Amino acid sequence: MDFTFTEEQQMLRAAARDFLDRSVPLERVTALADGDPGWDPGSWQQVSALGWLGLSVPTARAGAGMTFVEEAVVLEETGRGLYPGPYFSTVALAQPLLAAAESAAGTDLLTQVLGGSRTATVATLPGVTSAGDVLSGTSRHVPDLGIVDDVLVVVQGATGPGVWHVDLRAHPNVVRRTSTMDTTRRLGDLVLDDTPAVALLDPGVAAGALHIARLRGLAGLACEAVGVAQRCLVISADYAKERQQFGRPIGSYQGVSHRIANIYVALEMARSLAYWAAWSVSVDDPQAAAACSAAKAAGSEAAVLAAESAIQAMGGIGFTWDHPLHRFYKRAQWITAYDGHPREHRAALAVSLLDA
């Protein structure tokens, strides 16, 4: 099995890194994250123009024949650059549901999302209830809720989950609370009170699409975590080479060099698992669920370790608010908490292995 990236995939990575470094450098990410609305909506049209939307959606004009691996490459770079836009929520979570809805109900919402004119996220909570063409209930900690145009609400019915569409542009009375530790990816509580909604997927169709969306979410966050850990490694290693103490670079002292070496070891393990998960999702491999759980657990732990070790290696400067390391640490903590902590995924893996 060859996990080497193709020349086209390497070019995609280089283009993504160049765009993020030029258009949304860390200094601008900081300014956006500390203000409102928290991101630059104009950057979304640039993302669309670069062809990052719909890379693995068969109906996309540009990108036909590409796979989730290409999206994983971009997700890794958005983690490295802490891109504050709704790329993860729109592409990894919402697009597979919209693709299924386009086939089942003929909605054109996917076309608008692929064209860059709309963004979306997914809210999931069994407590959300439906009655006719309205929804009532609360879904908490929805990623990017405060900046997207649409939310796909997973409604748990008697025969299984269904998916409903709530247009946040048309119904601004929906309460979107945005209070979160990681201001580069703001969470919100979706509060629905007889809010008009459109049924997109019946339980018979929704289950399969939701399973795909969950796998894409886990694998995508594993790749984001790799990007976070990689950036922390570079920041700390560069600092250790330049910072002098007692006439020597601090990287020559074991107390510093061992921390950075630990980042590298954890990062490489997480990288291998993240790429395996992305490949498994792209080819619908039977081991995709196990691969995604393993990658999410390893990736999130590696990102947290990388951020903590980098902060320690950099000493006092690493603890300051002005330095970007705390933002990588907060993104790593959010990745860890989303859709199951590492111990939960390891427990699921243990069950699957013991039952096999």
Side-chain angles (χ1 to χ4, degrees):
M1 188 178 298
D2 185 7
F3 284 114
T4 304
F5 288 102
T6 65
E7 182 179 355
E8 290 78 9
Q9 290 165 344
Q10 295 287 16
M11 292 173 61
L12 175 63
R13 180 186 299 281
R17 184 169 299 187
D18 179 67
F19 166 74
L20 292 169
D21 286 346
R22 285 187 299 103
S23 301
V24 201
L26 286 181
E27 296 80 9
R28 187 150 188 255
V29 169
T30 297
L32 291 170
D34 290 343
D36 288 318
W39 76 304
D40 176 13
S43 69
W44 196 249
Q45 287 301 319
Q46 295 175 291
V47 167
S48 176
L50 288 167
W52 294 2
L53 304 179
L55 291 176
S56 64
V57 178
T59 56
R61 292 183 180 180
M66 301 179 81
T67 69
F68 181 69
V69 173
E70 280 75 32
E71 288 171 348
V73 168
V74 177
L75 283 161
E76 182 181 342
E77 292 305 312
T78 58
R80 175 189 173 275
L82 284 185
Y83 176 60
Y87 187 78
F88 165 75
S89 57
T90 299
V91 173
L93 299 181
Q95 278 191 1
L97 302 182
L98 293 174
E102 184 181 63
S103 300
T107 176
D108 65 346
L109 187 56
L110 175 63
T111 301
Q112 297 178 58
V113 169
L114 295 179
S117 61
R118 301 188 76 93
T119 55
T121 189
V122 177
T124 305
L125 189 72
V128 175
T129 59
S130 62
D133 295 329
V134 297
L135 294 178
S136 296
T138 301
S139 183
R140 302 190 183 280
H141 308 304
V142 182
D144 296 320
L145 180 68
I147 61 175
V148 297
D149 305 303
D150 305 282
V151 57
L152 307 181
V153 184
V154 181
V155 178
Q156 187 65 44
T159 59
V163 177
W164 294 64
H165 169 229
V166 174
D167 185 341
L168 297 180
R169 290 184 184 176
H171 305 291
N173 60 314
V174 173
V175 179
R176 292 176 286 181
R177 304 169 185 167
T178 53
S179 177
T180 178
M181 177 176 69
D182 177 13
T183 53
T184 66
R185 173 167 290 150
R186 302 186 182 188
L187 310 182
D189 295 344
L190 179 68
V191 181
L192 305 172
D193 185 11
D194 287 338
T195 304
V198 177
L200 290 184
L201 294 175
D202 294 329
V205 180
L210 287 169
H211 176 69
I212 294 172
R214 182 169 190 260
L215 294 183
R216 286 165 59 94
L218 293 175
L221 286 183
C223 292
E224 261 201 11
V226 168
V228 169
Q230 178 66 49
R231 193 63 175 268
C232 290
L233 174 64
V234 170
I235 290 173
S236 57
D238 288 347
Y239 184 81
K241 295 172 187 176
E242 298 170 0
R243 179 74 166 91
Q244 298 278 329
Q245 189 70 32
F246 304 112
R248 298 165 54 187
I250 63 171
S252 64
Y253 298 103
Q254 290 184 353
V256 175
S257 61
H258 284 188
R259 290 186 184 277
I260 297 174
N262 289 339
I263 297 175
Y264 177 79
V265 172
L267 169 61
E268 290 308 300
M269 175 64 76
R271 191 193 306 277
S272 296
L273 289 171
Y275 293 167
W276 175 41
W279 173 84
S280 298
V281 171
S282 70
V283 300
D284 194 23
D285 186 77
Q287 294 187 347
C292 291
S293 286
K296 170 62 162 55
S300 56
E301 289 184 327
V304 170
L305 172 69
E308 289 179 344
S309 298
I311 290 171
Q312 292 288 336
M314 295 187 67
I317 188 65
F319 286 88
T320 62
W321 180 263
D322 291 336
H323 198 278
L325 269 178
H326 72 92
R327 301 185 188 276
F328 286 96
Y329 187 41
K330 291 169 182 176
R331 175 64 67 89
Q333 292 285 6
W334 180 83
I335 292 174
T336 300
Y338 184 82
D339 200 2
H341 285 78
R343 62 180 179 273
E344 297 174 69
H345 287 285
R346 284 193 294 267
L349 283 170
V351 170
S352 65
L353 290 172
L354 291 173
D355 290 345

